[in-house]
Amino acid sequence: VVKLSKNFDILSVTKVGHTPCDIAFAKGKAYVVNRFSSDISVISVSDMTVMSTVEADGREPISAVAVGDNIYVACHLPDESTKESVMSANLNIISASTDKLTKTLPFVNGSSGIKDICVSPDGNTVYVSHIVGRYAYPTTQLDRAWINSNCVSIVDTKFQTIICSVLLDEVDKGAANPWGVTVSSDGKYLCVALSGLDEIMLVDRVKMHSRIDDVVNKKSSALVSSADVIVDYLPFLNNCRERIAVGKGVRAITEKDGILYCGLYFDGRVDAVNLSDKKVTSLSFTSQPEANEVRKGHILWSDATLCYQGWQSCNSCHPDAVVDGFNWDNLNDGLGGGGKNTRSMLYSHRTPPVMSTGIRADAEIAVGAGMKFIQFNTLDEENLIYIDEYLKSLYPVASPYLNKDGTLTESAEAGKALFEQNCASCHPAPLYTDNNLYDVGTKHFSGDSGEYDVPTLNEVWRTAPYMHDGSMNTIEEVVRYFSKNLSDTEVAQISDYVRSIGAEGEYYAAEQIRGTAADGSSFYNKYQSGAVLNALVVRKQSASASDAVATLVIYDKDGEAVHTSDYTFSELSYNESYVITFAEGLKLPDDGSYTISFREYGSDKLLASTLTVK
């Protein structure tokens, strides 16, 4: 946390937790929400020292607001320890008098993707923007918010209870990806940024709360029977909401003197909406990131205008291209067989096949199928390639379970040795998967083969729950299932190591090695006897990485090297793919293997773990 003077001079810098996302002030203290260490740092504003740390009750605390002597902290994702019948993100209430967590409120079932929180000018009401995933239903349609709906949850600060959750969607038009939320200073409007649709929604608060009061007080004019079903009634806000178009990627919003200022993540400007006449003016900045393929893909990933009726974007089920914490029964692999756990997109293009059952041969196919079966739309090849490039550019967040200097803890070091003895045959570094399907005895339904794809373990600390059906909530449960002979201490050590796996020290990566099988079909990152390797795709994963030499070695079934070649990379651009084509093709012997290693140019220093494909 950086404290600045009025002239923007740096006065002090205070170390807090992993990925601080928001800050709220009360009683001379700053409450800093740390997303990935799942805690709140309490800082004395006078001397900027950390007074205490409050553990969050929930997953990925992301946003906070002060209400009197209390701090309300909203968590981003559903807590995997929640009872099975209810999966939802939590709202934490912390007393600023004691700096203790005093209450936890679960949002409505299916709540995920929480983004922002605000309080009304009178302090009586808190609003939280989020998605409600209808994960209990098969994804057969989008109409009437069948898969995802978009809402604001409303909290009574006097009684510290959630009054209800109100849908922003209309009957035939979604309000995808609500992000920033604020109340106008005159209390007239609840303002919500519809990030997926590049719109601002203005809700008449007086009308909305009058309708809520009618329901709570059981009046004859009530639109629904009880407050808990408001979240299922799309017409609830009819005639008391309006949409205003703004620029691309509206996220954070704030209001002052009747002007709503809207931060546009992708356009790189601020749009100012006059709440009196609804006119929009723009404040531009001098420079923006290059509109390369990765950035274009990121925009498409977040764009709900591509979806039928604007109900959702790719980001709805895969926030930050990771997970929403739910199981879904998708059309991708056919209905039935139980819901499949949402999987992270990290390294999906390096670890074919794709989906839990391996139904898609590679991620390129899966991206197109996802548009068709989840967003009920098709994209042209150029735009699909942009999305592919965005997903290929993803890089693991450094694990919060590492030491502060990025090294493994003592327990994780012990766990690494145990992991290599017990787990590495199916989860070899650096991708921690052998890209194969196995029947590991976790099939519970008759709708699939019972063979499931070995997932990569990179960044697995943030992708709970686990297994194809989300049936295991912790890494410890998974380790115990596969290694029943280990002691509790050994289980804990392996789990500590697995939670630490990221991409530390992986300066370069063999993104794909492409080949052609004997029957003429194409494949990548696999070994097929008698096939021909055609190309190697390399990505520089660290901006500070030195020039490198990649070495490809092909081995026969006896482990003898039958081919070795070196490729030098000089001044390769950060986070961009580079393709080496093997003009003649490199034939693979029967039952052999190949390795790709990276070393620093002019030395033997390794710049990445050696990738071995058998």
Side-chain angles (χ1 to χ4, degrees), residues 329-548:
D329 189 358
N330 282 337
L331 292 174
N332 263 313
D333 56 2
L335 294 181
K340 303 298 193 302
N341 188 23
T342 304
R343 301 183 73 172
S344 172
M345 299 293 100
L346 177 69
Y347 292 167
S348 57
H349 287 72
R350 302 184 193 180
T351 55
V354 180
M355 317 282 298
S356 294
T357 59
I359 193 70
R360 304 297 176 204
D362 55 51
E364 284 86 350
I365 295 173
V367 167
M371 291 301 302
K372 179 179 179 181
F373 292 118
I374 304 299
Q375 301 209 46
F376 292 74
N377 192 8
T378 57
L379 280 184
D380 59 68
E381 187 65 26
E382 182 179 25
N383 283 325
L384 290 174
I385 289 173
Y386 292 154
I387 294 177
D388 289 332
E389 287 304 307
Y390 164 60
L391 297 178
K392 289 176 184 178
S393 76
L394 298 176
Y395 191 70
V397 172
S399 171
Y401 297 93
L402 295 167
N403 289 319
K404 293 291 186 181
D405 63 358
T407 60
L408 294 175
T409 64
E410 183 178 350
S411 176
E413 281 283 8
K416 181 179 181 181
L418 290 166
F419 178 91
E420 290 172 351
Q421 296 168 19
N422 293 275
C423 317
S425 59
C426 293
H427 293 281
L431 297 175
Y432 295 90
T433 173
D434 65 0
N435 294 338
N436 287 319
L437 301 175
Y438 295 103
D439 183 348
V440 293
T442 57
K443 178 180 178 180
H444 304 300
F445 303 95
S446 60
D448 55 57
S449 68
E451 291 191 339
Y452 304 111
D453 179 54
V454 176
T456 173
L457 299 182
N458 300 91
E459 207 184 60
V460 74
W461 57 268
R462 66 182 291 201
T463 62
Y466 304 108
M467 308 304 288
H468 77 280
D469 57 356
S471 58
M472 300 184 189
N473 291 326
T474 67
I475 296 294
E476 282 83 356
E477 288 181 73
V478 180
V479 175
R480 283 193 180 95
Y481 179 82
F482 286 101
S483 301
K484 296 179 175 62
N485 60 322
L486 296 178
S487 68
D488 288 348
T489 297
E490 290 171 324
V491 167
Q493 289 171 338
I494 291 179
S495 300
D496 286 342
Y497 173 65
V498 171
R499 277 189 288 264
S500 302
I501 294 173
E504 288 71 29
E506 304 293 330
Y507 298 100
Y508 284 85
E511 184 174 279
Q512 292 181 353
I513 184 157
R514 301 168 181 167
T516 303
D519 63 2
S521 62
S522 60
F523 67 93
Y524 67 86
N525 290 14
K526 291 279 190 180
Y527 192 97
Q528 293 202 18
S529 297
V532 173
L533 298 183
N534 307 123
L536 169 64
V537 185
V538 170
R539 184 176 293 268
K540 182 178 179 180
Q541 296 188 140
S542 172
S544 61
S546 56
D547 292 346

Side-chain angles (χ1 to χ4, degrees), residues 150-351:
N150 304 278
C151 83
V152 169
S153 285
I154 303 173
V155 183
D156 184 317
T157 60
K158 179 180 179 180
F159 297 101
Q160 296 187 344
T161 57
I162 295 177
I163 302 170
C164 65
S165 298
V166 179
L167 296 182
L168 303 169
D169 310 298
E170 300 169 48
V171 171
D172 59 357
K173 187 177 184 182
N177 304 115
W179 203 292
V181 59
T182 192
V183 177
S184 59
S185 50
D186 60 6
K188 181 178 180 181
Y189 292 113
L190 173 67
C191 312
V192 187
L194 306 184
S195 182
L197 298 174
D198 310 322
E199 295 175 339
I200 293 296
M201 179 170 284
L202 303 181
V203 179
D204 187 318
R205 286 184 68 238
V206 174
K207 287 184 179 180
M208 178 180 68
H209 280 281
S210 176
R211 293 179 185 183
I212 294 171
D213 291 342
D214 286 352
V215 173
V216 171
N217 296 318
K218 306 291 184 181
K219 291 186 177 181
S220 59
S221 56
L223 295 175
V224 294
S225 59
S226 61
D228 60 342
V229 298
I230 291 175
V231 72
D232 297 320
Y233 189 62
L234 286 162
F236 194 81
L237 291 181
N238 280 4
N239 304 316
C240 64
R241 61 187 160 193
E242 62 180 305
R243 300 175 186 238
I244 298 173
V246 289
K248 203 73 181 169
V250 57
R251 295 189 175 183
I253 59 174
T254 190
E255 184 267 1
K256 182 175 175 59
D257 299 331
I259 306 295
L260 182 69
Y261 297 92
C262 311
L264 308 179
Y265 185 78
F266 293 120
D267 275 350
R269 69 172 195 263
V270 171
D271 274 2
V273 181
N274 188 312
L275 297 181
S276 296
D277 58 17
K278 312 304 188 296
K279 290 184 178 179
V280 180
T281 56
S282 296
L283 309 171
S284 297
F285 297 101
T286 55
S287 62
Q288 294 303 317
E290 178 188 356
N292 57 16
E293 290 184 345
V294 169
R295 186 165 175 82
K296 290 176 182 177
H298 192 183
I299 292 171
L300 291 166
W301 186 262
S302 309
D303 190 350
T305 65
L306 305 175
C307 176
Y308 169 73
Q309 293 187 343
W311 293 106
Q312 58 196 22
S313 68
C314 302
N315 210 53
S316 298
C317 295
H318 297 279
D320 302 324
V322 190
V323 302
D324 62 2
F326 298 132
N327 290 350
W328 294 94
D329 189 358
N330 282 337
L331 292 174
N332 263 313
D333 56 2
L335 294 181
K340 303 298 193 302
N341 188 23
T342 304
R343 301 183 73 172
S344 172
M345 299 293 100
L346 177 69
Y347 292 167
S348 57
H349 287 72
R350 302 184 193 180
T351 55

